[in-house]
Amino acid sequence: MSLITTRTARPARCIALAAMLAAALATPGCGYRDLGQQRTESAAAWGEIAQLYRARSGPAGGAIAAVRASPGVDPQVVEDARGALARADTLAAVPELIGDPRAVDAFRKAQGELTGALFRLVVAAQAVPALRDDAAVGALRQSLTQAEERLAAARVRYQRAAAAYNATAAAFPSAVTARLLGFGPVPSQL
């Protein structure tokens, strides 16, 4: 192929691709509206989960400080909880996170470690008579119980929204629109 033919073929391909994109988006059944709406719904459900995790972190800091100041609790339990809280807080739960499966896995792992460390902290604090009635430890215990219930319900809502979005993004003709516009799949398990 000559140099002239190659130079004229590139603009023609770009024009053809742009025409196909415009035709696909102009087609009533292209799925663009559904993809956008369902992606927004899955991002909102993810935002609810992120908010619940952030709300749980508040009482955790106070309880860690109260337990650290009191003798009778294994310092390793306190250090594990403090470290897990610090790691979980470094992973921001922003809506863009659901577009990166590795980031979602890291977030999920950090939150799981934090949950386990906080429950161990509460159990250790309950074994110390001086901490049984501590307000910060009580607030953390109550927060953990409520947060786990709310998180379970929020995860179900997210999983439904993510499954609906992923199904739309994989079905024809929406799959063509999704691929052309960069609507990638989102993780369905949190």
Side-chain angles (χ1 to χ4, degrees):
M1 196 183 282
S2 74
L3 184 60
I4 294 173
T5 308
T6 305
R7 286 188 181 170
T8 58
R10 285 187 187 147
R13 276 191 245 146
C14 290
I15 290 170
L17 182 61
M20 286 180 8
L21 178 62
L25 292 177
T27 304
C30 73
Y32 177 73
R33 180 178 297 150
D34 292 338
L35 285 168
Q37 179 183 0
Q38 290 173 346
R39 180 66 181 237
T40 301
E41 289 171 3
S42 62
W46 165 251
E48 179 185 4
I49 290 171
Q51 180 183 11
L52 289 168
Y53 278 127
R54 278 192 301 272
R56 179 184 73 174
S57 292
I64 290 170
V67 173
R68 180 183 285 165
S70 178
V73 175
D74 182 8
Q76 187 62 45
V77 171
V78 176
E79 185 56 32
D80 289 349
R82 190 202 59 73
L85 180 61
R87 283 187 298 279
D89 284 348
T90 61
L91 297 172
V94 295
E96 294 80 24
L97 187 73
I98 62 172
D100 183 0
R102 285 186 289 180
V104 169
D105 286 341
F107 179 81
R108 186 179 349 166
K109 181 180 176 189
Q111 291 299 333
E113 288 175 3
L114 178 59
T115 299
L118 292 178
F119 273 113
R120 285 189 299 279
L121 181 75
V122 167
V123 168
Q126 293 300 305
V128 177
L131 291 173
R132 282 190 192 131
D133 296 327
D134 186 81
V137 174
L140 177 60
R141 183 180 56 249
Q142 182 178 6
S143 173
L144 283 172
T145 304
Q146 291 173 350
E148 289 307 309
E149 292 170 5
R150 291 178 182 157
L151 279 166
R155 282 187 199 106
V156 168
R157 284 189 290 277
Y158 171 79
Q159 289 168 356
R160 287 181 183 152
Y165 166 77
N166 287 338
T168 300
F172 184 80
S174 301
V176 175
T177 304
R179 183 158 183 135
L180 288 173
L181 298 179
F183 283 98
V186 297
S188 59
Q189 297 296 318
L190 288 182

